[in-house]
Structure formats: structure tokens, C-alpha cells
Amino acid sequence: MLSTLSLSLEPRPRDFGARLNRRRVPTLAGRMRRRHRGRRALVLLAAFGVPAFAAPADWSGLAIGNAGSAEVTVEPMPFERAGESFPGSAFYYLATDEELPPLVPGLQSDADGGRVFIDERAGPIARSLRIDNSGVDRTRALQCLTAAIYYEARSESDQGQRAVAQVVLNRVAHPSYPNTVCGVVYQGSERTTGCQFSFTCDGSLAKAPNRMFWLRAENVARAALAGYVERTVGLATHYHTIAIYPYWAPSLRHIITVGAHRFYRFTGRAGEPGAFRFAYAGGEPLAAPHARSAAADRQPETALDPLALQRAFEAGLVSARGAEAIPAGQSRPAPAPAYAPDVQQRGGEALYRGENLPQDNGVRPEYQNSGRWIAQPGT
């Protein structure tokens, strides 16, 4: 019994596993290779580095930006300059685009058959004006539109710059202004005052533009010439800064204020979609202001007055449709057609006037009250 108990308490045999050292046996050749590895790296570094440092070369290409300069010139934003800021100006300059409501389809345009879309706040919006001409026309148009955006709204938000570009293109499409981008931008630049865009005659072009702001304006201009439409300004053809209030502002229709600019469009038929034709014919003039003319300063320029342009547009419509305007609700009678000689001999227009139709006296008395109530219903 005791022997049986002692056998049961013995531990069970375990599996045997030998552990062998599997590392390579060190040899004399391996030790020598490890010893000379660092020396070889130093020899290669010296072979390439010493000739490079010894050669007379310009190492400025390895410089990182302006990291080595002690002074860095940073041009301040307009709202950071004395005399160019106003309460809340930073909000206008750095404003982000607001979410726009969906467009509402409108009527067909009378100008070129295009469909007009309506914005709930801006009213009718412009259509795309693509200037994809290759060569001189596109280059000049891009140069002129970039200059207008840069000098008029270089510190505005993206929406503010796009709005200025849209005004230029709206004028290109309106018959009251030149039909080219450069013609619109530099209209009136031969005068010392009274030019359409103030930077073309107040000496602003004498100062070299800032490259960063110029490239930003160029990107906006390139998108506008490729067909982008800034719908928030609708069919605006005029704008002014909020620091002034020109005499023509109450007579035009205010659309929206974007940043530091208030945008307007013509009232009456001059501001309707049918007055615009968004088609580009090319023929861009030089991308430069006109030569100064003393005679132009002494003469009033009606083409630069928006109210005079409105009156001229209405007068042109009246002249095109006849000597007198047709009152609302009435139509102008169509002129008599040119009849063939045999029809002219038989009476011409008199044959079709219906003068021989039976009148009231030709109706029999028993039928004169046909169609009338015998007694008024409800009485």
C-alpha cells in the first residue's frame, strides 16, 4: 500500500527539448570586416565632400526662403493701415462666402435666346461670358481684368473680387459700354478725372503691384473669363465704396453690399435681362490706359454718367420702335403687307379690312338678345 502511494506522488515525466546555440561561429575574417566598416565610410565621405567644399561655387541655392535674413518686409492689410480702416473693416476684408439659395428659372432672354435664372435677393443673374479666344485677345483680356480686380479690390474677400470681375463682364455684355474687357476697364482713362475705374486715371498704375496679391487677382480673372458667374451681384453694372455716396446711387437699383463695395444695376429697361447679350466678339485693344487729352477734360462725357446712359437707352428703344412710345396694354398695328400687282388692282388692303361684314342692324330682331339671360340668376 505504501509503495503504491509513493508511486502515485511521483511527478510525471516531461518532454525533453535541447537548446542549442545557433549563432554563427565567429571567425577572424568576420572580425576584420566589422573593424574596417567605419573606416570605409569615412573614406567615401572625404572623397565626395572635400572636392565639393573646395570648388568655388554659389551655395545660395541651398538657402531656405528668407531664413537667413534678419528683416522680413510684410505688407500690412488695408484695415491695418492708418486712414484706410473703419470700424469692422477686418470683417469685410476677410469675410467668407455665404451660403446661397437655389436659383429660380425665369423667362427667356430677348437678346440671345438664353434662359434667365433669378436669384431671390439679386434678381436676374448674368450668364456665362467665356473668352476662350487664343492669342492676343485672351492675353489682353486677362491682363485688363486682373488689373481691375487688383487695383479695385485686392484686399477684398474672394467674393468681393469675383463681384468686381462680374461688373466688368456685365458691362461688356451691355450695349451702353464697349464690347471688350480692356475697352470697359480703360474707358475714360484719357481724362484726369471722371474715368470709369479710378485707378486708370489717378496714378495708381505708377506703383508696381504686389506679386502675391496680383496672382490672387489673376486667378479670379481667369475663372471669370472661363465662364464663372458671381450670382450675388446679379446684373450689376456699377459699384462704389461705402466711404462715399455718389449722386447717382439713389437713381439706380441697389443689389447687395459685399465687403467695402455697394453694387447697383440700371433701373427700367436698361437693367432688364433683355438688354444684355453675353457673347464675346474679340478685338481687344491695348491693355493700357489711353493717352491723356486736355480737350476731353473740358467736354462733358455723357458716356460716363450712368443716369445719362439710362435716358439714352430708353430714348434708343423709343426711336427703334417708332416716333412715339406705345402705352402699356396696347399694341402697335402691323403695317400693311406688300401685295402682288393683281391683288393691288382688285383693291389691295381694302379687300381684307372686313368693311362689308354684317353689323348689328343686319341681325334679325328675334335673335339680337341671343346669349343673354332671360332673368338674372339669384334675383
Side-chain angles (χ1 to χ4, degrees):
M1 187 66 180
L2 182 59
S3 61
T4 304
L5 182 60
S6 61
L7 291 175
S8 63
L9 295 178
E10 290 182 0
R12 294 180 180 180
R14 300 179 179 178
D15 295 337
F16 174 77
R19 295 182 180 179
L20 302 177
N21 187 3
R22 301 184 181 276
R23 293 181 299 176
R24 293 182 180 180
V25 179
T27 60
L28 180 60
R31 294 177 180 176
M32 296 301 294
R33 282 195 298 269
R34 288 194 297 271
R35 179 180 301 178
H36 294 291
R37 188 174 300 167
R39 298 177 183 178
R40 292 174 181 174
L42 291 176
V43 171
L44 291 175
L45 182 61
F48 287 97
V50 172
F53 283 103
D58 185 13
W59 293 88
S60 59
L62 301 178
I64 302 176
N66 55 2
S69 59
E71 298 181 359
V72 178
T73 303
V74 179
E75 184 176 353
M77 299 287 283
F79 57 85
E80 299 175 331
R81 303 172 187 168
E84 297 188 22
S85 62
F86 51 89
S89 58
F91 170 77
Y92 290 107
Y93 289 127
L94 304 178
T96 57
D97 296 348
E98 55 181 318
E99 185 177 355
L100 301 177
L103 292 175
V104 179
L107 302 177
Q108 296 288 332
S109 172
D110 296 333
D112 51 5
R115 194 174 188 181
V116 180
F117 285 92
I118 308 297
D119 186 272
E120 293 182 356
R121 288 170 291 184
I125 68 171
R127 294 181 298 278
S128 296
L129 182 63
R130 293 181 175 86
I131 301 180
D132 52 3
N133 301 40
S134 60
V136 177
D137 281 340
R138 179 169 178 80
T139 302
R140 289 179 175 178
L142 179 62
Q143 179 76 11
C144 294
L145 188 57
T146 302
I149 298 171
Y150 174 83
Y151 288 103
E152 294 288 315
R154 62 179 174 272
S155 299
E156 291 287 325
S157 62
D158 291 344
Q159 181 185 4
Q161 291 194 351
R162 293 194 301 263
V164 171
Q166 190 62 54
V167 168
V168 175
L169 298 185
N170 287 349
R171 289 193 175 191
V172 175
H174 199 277
S176 299
Y177 296 95
N179 59 355
T180 59
V181 177
C182 293
V184 166
V185 172
Y186 291 107
Q187 185 181 16
S189 58
E190 66 276 3
R191 304 165 61 94
T192 55
T193 59
C195 49
Q196 290 289 350
F197 295 90
S198 58
F199 77 93
T200 63
C201 61
D202 63 358
S204 298
L205 293 172
K207 183 179 179 181
N210 180 279
R211 178 171 176 79
M212 181 186 69
F213 284 93
W214 180 269
L215 293 178
R216 177 174 176 241
E218 188 178 49
N219 291 334
V220 175
R222 185 176 289 105
L225 298 180
Y228 182 87
V229 175
E230 179 55 42
R231 52 178 284 195
T232 56
V233 296
L235 295 174
T237 50
H238 295 79
Y239 65 86
H240 65 82
T241 63
I242 59 177
I244 63 173
Y245 193 70
Y247 73 95
W248 47 260
S251 302
L252 299 185
R253 182 173 300 174
H254 175 250
I255 299 177
I256 193 175
T257 300
V258 181
H261 291 110
R262 291 171 59 87
F263 293 86
Y264 301 81
R265 69 182 175 101
F266 284 126
T267 58
R269 298 179 182 178
E272 295 178 356
F276 296 81
R277 188 174 188 273
F278 290 89
Y280 181 71
E284 290 287 341
L286 291 176
H290 305 157
R292 289 295 173 85
S293 173
D297 289 333
R298 293 191 297 267
Q299 297 178 358
E301 185 60 61
T302 57
L304 305 179
D305 187 351
L307 303 186
L309 291 177
Q310 278 192 151
R311 293 190 295 267
F313 189 89
E314 296 290 343
L317 289 179
V318 173
S319 176
R321 296 180 179 180
E324 297 181 357
I326 301 300
Q330 299 184 11
S331 61
R332 183 185 303 277
Y339 296 102
D342 59 334
V343 179
Q344 292 286 0
Q345 293 177 1
R346 290 187 287 112
E349 178 67 14
L351 298 174
Y352 305 97
R353 290 178 182 173
E355 296 177 349
N356 297 326
L357 294 177
Q359 306 299 323
D360 292 341
N361 54 5
V363 181
R364 297 177 61 177
E366 61 268 25
Y367 297 115
Q368 287 185 356
N369 292 327
S370 298
R372 297 181 182 179
W373 291 99
I374 298 177
Q376 186 67 25
T379 59

